Amino acid sequence: MVIIITGAGTGMGRLTARSLALAGHTVYASMRNIDASDADNAAEHRAFAEEHGVDLRVVELDVLSDESAQAAARTIQQEQGRLDVLVHNAAHLYVGITEAFTPEQVMRGLDTNVVGALRVNRVFLPMMRRQRSGLLVWVGSGSTRVVPPFLGPYTAAKAAFDSFAESVSYETIKFGIETTIVMPGIFVEGTAHFPNAEFPADAGIQQEYLALYQSYLDRNEEASRGMTLPGPTPQVQSVADEIVRVVGLPAGSRPFRTTVDYTGAGDIPVNEAAARSRRQFMERMTFADLLPAGPAVVDGLNLKAP
């Protein structure tokens, strides 16, 4: 299959690109600036491809730029003539007191974490619609179901991203384009989320909260790290492995949602209840044929236990 992954320079995206390539797919690992800020990441992907003899390619794609997305789509169209799988992975983490984030920061977060997926869809969905086939993989977050503290702009954006994914799934199913929403739990090791996180710009408001909340903020990353298990291989590899599994399933049998979580945060039963309600609602609307085929609508949830 021909696959493109957004935000593949680091973390989950990097691991997913390499894992899919090792599974025998032609993979385009996309990142914002392959000649400058992402030059080292791009070089590492190329070296990995040469070392392992896999078809892993690098393409520039900034999800904040229509022109960049269009250029990436032209490259894949010219080189492959098709696209089978689009993995929406690009995201940016925000940590801090919600009131202390400026509206401009929150708008940038929504642009990266939500609107960016729309930009990418608008250049690749036409290709899939012409083929009458394809798979959209949306790398969401369990935090959209069980919201943790101090991540307000991030969890709000990921919830909107999740809603986008559901809406698009109804609209593309008649073109033979499937949807899977992958919901990772908390992962600290093996990702760039925490090191690259953005903090509130309004230091004055942040300071007003710190007398009561400083200790909670200080131990936020430590608590998150404590909910995962140490080991020689970052557990985030299990997210990449799950995406490889989903991509490899026959069309029509892929789960609509799948969870990869070591924490037991509680989003599994919420997802199950939401899936049942979704099917019942769509049946009452007589739109049930816009749902994925088979039991994957309700089932297909995959808890990766330690």
Side-chain angles (χ1 to χ4, degrees), residues 166-177:
E166 289 220 9
S167 294
V168 171
S169 74
Y170 301 134
E171 298 160 359
T172 58
I173 192 66
K174 291 293 190 181
F175 291 96
I177 301 169

Side-chain angles (χ1 to χ4, degrees), residues 182-250:
V182 179
M183 302 183 74
I186 295 173
F187 294 95
V188 179
E189 298 294 339
T191 82
H193 259 346
F194 277 97
N196 293 339
E198 186 169 339
F199 300 97
D202 193 328
I205 290 180
Q206 177 92 341
Q207 190 62 39
E208 291 185 38
Y209 280 84
L210 292 186
L212 295 174
Y213 291 101
Q214 181 70 68
S215 63
Y216 297 96
L217 284 163
D218 288 345
R219 67 174 185 262
N220 187 43
E221 182 175 349
E222 179 185 353
S224 298
R225 195 178 300 276
M227 296 179 75
T228 61
L229 299 176
T233 302
Q235 288 179 343
V236 72
Q237 175 64 48
S238 60
V239 179
D241 293 342
E242 179 64 354
I243 293 173
V244 172
R245 183 188 76 85
V246 167
V247 168
L249 291 172

Side-chain angles (χ1 to χ4, degrees), residues 12-95:
M12 290 180 190
R14 179 205 299 259
L15 291 171
T16 300
R18 295 181 176 186
S19 298
L20 285 166
L22 288 171
H25 302 289
T26 295
V27 180
Y28 285 81
S30 81
M31 52 202 77
R32 284 182 297 179
N33 194 329
I34 62 177
D35 295 319
S37 58
D38 284 306
D40 289 344
N41 296 327
E44 289 172 7
H45 273 314
R46 295 187 185 106
F48 181 92
E50 183 174 355
E51 178 184 354
H52 295 274
V54 296
D55 196 358
L56 174 59
R57 310 179 186 204
V58 175
V59 65
E60 186 163 293
L61 196 168
D62 182 353
V63 300
L64 300 180
S65 165
D66 291 328
E67 293 76 13
S68 178
Q70 290 161 4
R74 284 194 299 270
T75 295
I76 293 176
Q77 179 64 52
Q78 291 165 4
E79 294 181 0
Q80 306 297 331
R82 65 179 296 106
L83 181 69
D84 300 298
V85 182
L86 165 57
V87 181
H88 287 296
N89 172 74
H92 186 50
L93 182 64
Y94 291 78
V95 179

Side-chain angles (χ1 to χ4, degrees), residues 261-273:
D261 185 24
Y262 290 86
T263 67
D267 57 314
I268 297 287
V270 178
N271 284 331
E272 291 174 338

Side-chain angles (χ1 to χ4, degrees), residues 173 178 251-256 279 288-298:
I173 192 66
E178 295 185 276
S253 68
R254 294 170 175 129
F256 182 70
R279 172 165 282 284
D289 59 333
L290 299 183
L291 290 166
V297 176
V298 175

